[in-house]
Amino acid sequence: MSLDGDPLSVMDNPAADRHPFHSETTSVAAAQGVWGCLRGTHCTGHAHRLVRLLAAVCAVGLLGGLAVGVWFLVKLLLRPSYSQSPAGLGDTKETSFCNVTEDNFISDPRKVFYRISPENSLLEIQLGNLPTWLPVCYERWNSSLGTMVCRQLGSLRLTEHKGVNLTDIGPIYNDGFIQITSGHKSNLENMWQVRGNCITGKVIALQCFECGTRAKLPRIIGGVEATLGRWPWQVSLYYSNRHTCGGSIITSQWVVTAAHCVHNYRLPQISSWVVYAGIVTRSSAKMAQHIGYAVEKIIYNKNYNHRSHDNDIALMKLRTPLNFSDTIRPVCLPQYNYDAPDGTQCWISGWGYTQPDGVHSPDTLKEAPVPVISTKKCNSSCMYNGEITPRMLCAGYTEGKVDACQGDSGGPLVCQDDNVWRLVGVISWGTGCAEPNHPGVYTKVAQFLGWIYDMIEVDRTFV
Ligand code: ARG
């Protein structure tokens, strides 16, 4: 078979190459001829050559197609062996582990629920197995029971309590009453029983130390810079004239912060610490009217472990009490045994870095919403792989982007419930800042309620 008259060789002809128009004409003619022949008309000798040309083109095309097919096949076959590589394995593992299925049923370990009616300040109790909220008879009531109830509610202490005549409140309670059982009961939960009426005809009215409220102040919608009074419990802790950590006011003399902020060499240097309250701009801390508060005492949790960051919580006592105002207020503590469920919307605030790799600390306090991430998910291999202890909680986003960072530590993670803001977490640690799959890790304050109350009480001068 000769390829003499093959137009391909015409194309190869340098002369044809030198005459682009000529070459083009040839190709057009050839093309027309081929079509004509295939339709079975005017098959000439010239057309025969064109048929051979077509055959050759087809053969080349076929070979090319085959090559492409083989290439795809090889690629396809090689694919599984790619995912054997460590990176590939990581990916497969990640997606399967990141989709942690949550248990739909969130068990609440509490058996008794307490609330103070906003209308008449009466203490109301709901025993786990009953659907109604019942008022509490005044018999056997005392102030230490009041303190215990207030603490159950996340408030530090009792401020007022008295017996109120049932006849003075009208006939709103028809479902029965709760009475305090006789005999010494160590556990507050076992103190209560249901009764048809109260012997004295009196029920308990209660007021706890007010916390977790904000004054009604104007605010910037959608802004990330906080306005004065929005987070009135937020303080800036200065060490050696530098903003070092955040903290949260819980009483007029006590601030909660992170143990890692104060431990080691910083701990004995009490006089190097200054607490600034009621500010949003750090520059205003320097201004005359904001003289910082001196620190009298620092207590860090003795179980704090600087390697694992476990028990990362500390208390600071101010030498002089704060004057509460619209811009300086205490935050509530969480209720006993309360675990914020996955997805609970909470907020963080602080003067920490605003860029993960930067060293830029903002002058104005920043705030950001962060949802709670369940410990199960946070401890999965795609997040912290078992590093989250029962005394920690995670909050943030799987995709990163919003998080606390260096300089925010010790500051608050607050969540609103029952119309008050509660200090659910203390900003503690995280791998990098705002990285995907590395949310912020917080000290779970609910695990330290007993410790906080003990420390404050031991101190005696508790105000
Ligand atoms: N340890 C840091 C500090 O001292 C705070 C870390 C918080 N990091 C995070 N990614 N949420 O300020």
Side-chain angles (χ1 to χ4, degrees), residues 244-246 258 260-261 266 309 312 348 352 384 395 403-410 427-435 438-442:
T244 304
C245 271
H260 83 258
C261 291
R266 287 175 186 154
H309 319 282
D312 192 8
I348 48 175
Y384 286 112
D403 193 9
C405 202
Q406 265 50 49
D408 289 321
S409 276
I427 300 174
S428 176
W429 64 280
T431 298
C433 297
E435 281 184 7
H438 287 135
V441 187
Y442 301 80

Side-chain angles (χ1 to χ4, degrees), residues 104-124:
N104 286 334
F105 178 73
I106 301 157
S107 75
D108 193 328
R110 291 175 293 178
K111 293 194 195 84
V112 184
F113 298 87
Y114 306 87
R115 73 176 187 197
I116 295 168
S117 159
E119 288 112 55
N120 50 22
S121 298
L122 292 197
L123 171 62
E124 294 177 342

Side-chain angles (χ1 to χ4, degrees), residues 13 41 51 57 73 80 95 102 187 199 211 282 287 291 318 354 364 392 434 445 447:
N13 180 341
T41 51
V51 169
V57 167
L73 207 71
T95 36
E102 296 297 335
N187 192 342
I199 305 160
C211 56
R282 285 193 298 133
M287 272 145 58
I291 315 281
L318 309 181
T354 48
T364 306
M392 300 174 188
V445 178
Q447 292 289 317

